[in-house]
Amino acid sequence: MESKKFPHDFLWGGAVAAHQLEGGYDKEGKGISIADVMTAGANGKDREITKGILPDRYYPNHEAIDFYSRYKGDIQLFAEMGFRCFRTSIAWTRVFPNGDECEPNEKGLKFYDDLFDELLKYGIEPVITLSHFEMPYYLVEKYGGWRDRRLIRFFVKFAETVMKRYKDKVKYWMTFNEINNQSSVQNAWGGWTNSGILYREDEDVQTVLQQAVHYQMVASAITVKIGHEINPDFQIGCMLAMVPFYARTCRPQDEIAAQIAMEHRLYYYGDLHVFGEYPSFMKAFQKERGIVLDITKEDLQYLKEGCVDYIGISYYMSSTISSIETDDSIKVAEGFYVARNPYVEKSDWNWQIDPQGLRYSLNLLHQRYHKPIFVVENGFGAYDKMENGEIHDQYRIKYLKAHILEMKKAMVLDGIPVMGYTPWGCIDLVSAGSGEMEKRYGFIYVDKDNLGNGTLERKKKDSFAWYKKVIESDGEIL
């Protein structure tokens, strides 16, 4: 298996997000985004979401790694590795600073023109996410984020503006990044980054969540429909956080718990994107809970007309579900406990390391949806140590090699159509979850610490040369 090659048109590359690497948060007319009011956290410590930007707080996204002014040098390094594509996002607030303006910010549009031109100069295809944990903070303050139906109109205008502008430069698009992350309502961070929502104690969280998801799904569907009208060659996908849930034991109750977790944390979102309709289990759940949503006949028509072309996924880990509490479990809902899987290793951030779970995930998704799949995030966050001016990150190489091999098995042995592979954080950047710089993913080291100190100098890690060989050999040399 290891000696087999990937197809020559396989999209090898790397992935980032605008708010985690660009910086320049107030440059050339950019507005404040929801990422700009998130302070730095730490391993095991949540980021604080402040009301506006406070003078006595440190906001790591404000400067990030200053890709905004250094992108040409970084793209040169990506080209040296042989990237065929580069996944990033367009910051909504660079184009519409408040989100509800009539006219876009030309300086923001020009930045992405220049960025995409630089990528294309090296033969690197831009793969663009429209909403990647970032939206105008103004829309949260004035409208309550995605609680409000009017955000459909604002998002579609943003999407249509950039799709028209870059119709000859960008072929691959995704609408909402990891839209299913907000399904974990115990984590306030998910509702904020996905939808600009912090839940109140006096409201039914499930109703608010599902209403926001509905508005986003309608916005996504309209965007897909309009995008195909702008350029029929566009490939427009969704993006799901793929965390397969294993039953902790073969007890029937554990198997049912794992099934329900997959339905509510993944299939609910995938079914709306791919099939354009609400799955029966969600209709039953809403009826049982007395959840009544603002859904119009026009909405349902849009959902059917705006189904995605492919499924983008992130895959970092698997999870294990138990129907009963155990010594090592954490309660996530009544009758649902996330438990430690004793058969896999874990990272310094307690993320389960399960390469075989990627093959399993690709099979699950294709069996259900029969769509091409694009692995647009997969990576290993670790503490990298500089030794005599070098970073020997063999642990990262080991992780990525194992996952690429399992992806290859899914393609060759199982017949799964996988479009490409873009490891997450191909250059060190700010962690979305913790706001750390020292949770590093990249093939390229950036000299900056968790407190914002450093020169921002770039330096190749051992994994840089390794990934270059992987791409050169089309995955034959791992």
Side-chain angles (χ1 to χ4, degrees):
M1 270 301 309
E2 195 163 328
S3 65
K4 288 185 178 293
K5 290 188 176 185
F6 283 77
H8 187 63
D9 60 352
F10 191 76
L11 290 169
W12 295 102
V16 297
H19 70 99
Q20 290 171 256
L21 90 163
E22 282 184 4
Y25 85 104
D26 58 353
K27 297 283 181 68
E28 297 186 302
K30 181 184 177 298
I32 301 301
S33 83
I34 58 173
D36 292 327
V37 298
M38 296 180 73
T39 67
N43 191 351
K45 178 185 176 184
D46 291 338
R47 304 178 71 174
E48 181 185 359
I49 300 166
T50 60
K51 191 167 181 61
I53 296 173
L54 306 180
D56 61 341
R57 298 289 198 279
Y58 170 54
Y59 300 94
N61 299 70
H62 286 190
E63 181 188 46
I65 64 167
D66 192 26
F67 182 77
Y68 189 74
S69 62
R70 297 169 182 252
Y71 69 86
K72 289 186 178 181
D74 292 337
I75 290 171
Q76 254 187 322
L77 291 169
F78 302 154
E80 185 181 338
M81 272 189 282
F83 280 17
R84 297 174 188 168
C85 71
F86 176 60
R87 181 198 173 211
T88 187
S89 57
I90 294 176
W92 188 346
T93 49
R94 286 206 193 281
V95 180
F96 290 98
N98 288 336
D100 63 354
E101 293 93 342
C102 294
E103 298 297 327
N105 172 29
E106 177 58 30
K107 290 181 179 179
L109 290 169
K110 178 66 165 53
F111 169 72
Y112 291 108
D113 265 319
D114 295 343
L115 173 61
F116 300 155
D117 286 344
E118 193 69 15
L119 289 166
L120 293 168
K121 183 174 81 175
Y122 292 99
I124 301 172
E125 289 271 7
V127 177
I128 300 305
T129 311
L130 291 166
S131 178
H132 192 134
F133 294 170
E134 186 172 44
M135 61 178 287
Y137 182 66
Y138 179 83
L139 295 183
V140 174
E141 289 288 279
K142 184 173 181 179
Y143 300 96
W146 280 96
R147 297 170 184 271
D148 195 304
R149 173 176 280 277
R150 285 171 288 186
L151 264 75
I152 298 174
R153 174 162 47 91
F154 301 144
F155 179 83
V156 169
K157 182 170 185 176
F158 159 62
E160 184 174 8
T161 298
V162 297
M163 283 179 157
K164 283 182 176 178
R165 177 79 170 221
Y166 311 122
K167 65 183 176 65
D168 298 319
K169 299 182 181 184
V170 178
K171 176 181 178 180
Y172 300 98
W173 301 86
M174 284 172 281
T175 52
F176 291 90
N177 181 70
E178 292 186 335
I179 191 169
N180 55 318
N181 263 358
Q182 58 195 316
S183 61
S184 179
V185 294
Q186 295 81 14
N187 181 359
W189 181 83
W192 179 256
T193 55
N194 281 100
S195 302
I197 289 174
L198 293 174
Y199 300 112
R200 300 189 298 264
E201 291 184 2
D202 63 343
E203 62 188 359
D204 180 69
V205 172
Q206 281 294 334
T207 300
V208 176
L209 163 67
Q210 292 185 36
Q211 187 65 76
V213 169
H214 175 75
Y215 291 151
Q216 288 170 335
M217 289 292 179
V218 173
S220 175
I222 296 173
T223 296
V224 172
K225 188 172 185 293
I226 290 175
H228 285 148
E229 292 167 357
I230 293 170
N231 186 343
D233 292 332
F234 278 171
Q235 290 292 297
I236 310 172
C238 60
M239 201 297 208
L240 303 172
M242 185 64 199
V243 181
F245 288 94
Y246 302 148
R248 188 174 187 274
T249 72
C250 56
R251 293 176 70 246
Q253 295 94 323
D254 285 1
E255 294 286 355
I256 293 295
Q259 173 192 316
I260 294 173
M262 289 294 288
E263 289 175 343
H264 286 257
R265 297 289 180 90
L266 180 73
Y267 295 144
Y268 164 37
Y269 302 84
D271 287 6
L272 281 166
H273 274 306
V274 177
F275 302 137
E277 58 186 32
Y278 277 85
S280 58
F281 62 80
M282 188 52 63
K283 291 179 181 178
F285 177 79
Q286 291 170 350
K287 182 177 181 180
E288 182 191 11
R289 291 285 297 265
I291 296 173
V292 179
L293 302 181
D294 169 28
I295 300 176
T296 68
K297 289 183 179 178
E298 188 178 34
D299 291 346
L300 297 176
Q301 186 64 31
Y302 280 133
L303 290 174
K304 293 297 291 184
E305 293 175 351
C307 297
V308 295
D309 300 313
Y310 68 91
I311 300 170
I313 67 164
S314 61
Y315 178 82
Y316 295 95
M317 59 187 155
S318 58
S319 189
T320 310
I321 291 288
S322 174
S323 59
I324 58 174
E325 189 171 9
T326 61
D327 292 339
D328 61 350
S329 67
I330 299 172
K331 184 177 181 178
V332 293
E334 196 62 43
F336 293 87
Y337 300 85
V338 174
R340 174 89 180 91
N341 186 339
Y343 300 103
V344 299
E345 299 176 19
K346 61 179 180 178
S347 74
D348 290 333
W349 278 264
N350 288 318
W351 289 20
Q352 295 189 166
I353 302 171
D354 178 16
Q356 290 177 298
L358 176 55
R359 180 184 178 186
Y360 175 67
S361 296
L362 293 169
N363 273 273
L364 278 183
L365 288 168
H366 191 252
Q367 287 166 6
R368 188 176 184 94
Y369 296 124
H370 304 287
K371 291 281 185 182
I373 303 170
F374 198 159
V375 182
V376 295
E377 287 185 34
N378 173 237
F380 187 67
Y383 294 111
D384 290 338
K385 292 183 180 179
M386 187 85 71
E387 298 177 6
N388 299 317
E390 298 180 336
I391 301 100
H392 304 298
D393 56 340
Q394 292 300 313
Y395 40 85
R396 181 168 292 109
I397 293 172
K398 177 184 176 183
Y399 175 96
L400 295 172
K401 175 180 177 179
H403 284 77
I404 292 172
L405 183 57
E406 292 300 325
M407 180 173 61
K408 185 184 289 189
K409 290 178 183 177
M411 295 173 70
V412 175
L413 301 180
D414 308 328
I416 309 299
V418 181
M419 299 165 55
Y421 178 73
T422 57
W424 175 253
C426 50
I427 182 170
D428 289 348
L429 37 61
V430 175
S431 168
S434 63
E436 296 172 276
M437 269 300 302
E438 294 173 26
K439 184 184 184 183
R440 300 182 183 276
Y441 285 89
F443 303 118
I444 302 163
Y445 182 88
V446 177
D447 180 31
K448 188 174 184 180
D449 65 18
N450 285 349
L451 300 177
N453 303 312
T455 65
L456 295 177
E457 179 187 0
R458 274 61 164 159
K459 190 170 185 61
K460 302 171 189 175
K461 306 177 189 179
D462 284 358
S463 57
F464 183 103
W466 169 81
Y467 193 50
K468 181 179 180 180
K469 289 180 181 178
V470 171
I471 298 174
E472 283 177 345
S473 68
D474 275 320
E476 184 179 10
I477 300 174
L478 295 177

